[in-house]
Amino acid sequence: MRLRVEFTTEPFDLDEAPRHALVAREVIEAADLDAVDVGPFGNTAEGGADSVLTAVDALLRQALEAGATRVSLQVNVIGGEGE
């Protein structure tokens, strides 16, 4: 099964990316995922279910530790078994 995760971290700072946002992006970029797209107002990544779920766990833990007060995320199934 393939999954897509979309996420943002808060609080926002339009002048400079906050530490929690940078940490979250680093976690996703370092994970074994493909189709990673990071941006100022949202981030997406795709990969196998185990890889995405492992990355989401690390993302939540590390972003909160880095000062995030809110993490919004959505996980969608984009492929079935064997895809």
Side-chain angles (χ1 to χ4, degrees), residues 3-8 43 45 52 56 71-76:
L3 302 175
R4 176 183 300 123
V5 61
E6 301 173 48
F7 69 92
T8 58
N43 308 282
V52 170
V56 166
V71 179
S72 301
L73 65 89
Q74 178 173 305
V75 177
N76 293 302

Side-chain angles (χ1 to χ4, degrees), residues 6-62:
E6 301 173 48
F7 69 92
T8 58
T9 62
E10 296 179 37
F12 294 116
D13 182 340
L14 297 178
D15 294 327
E16 184 177 330
R19 183 169 177 272
H20 59 80
L22 297 175
V23 167
R25 290 176 190 161
E26 289 170 4
V27 168
I28 291 300
E29 289 174 338
D32 185 23
L33 303 172
D34 37 69
V36 174
D37 182 26
V38 296
F41 300 108
N43 308 282
T44 61
E46 297 178 7
D50 287 340
S51 295
V52 170
L53 295 174
T54 298
V56 166
D57 177 64
L59 163 74
L60 291 171
R61 291 175 189 277
Q62 292 182 37

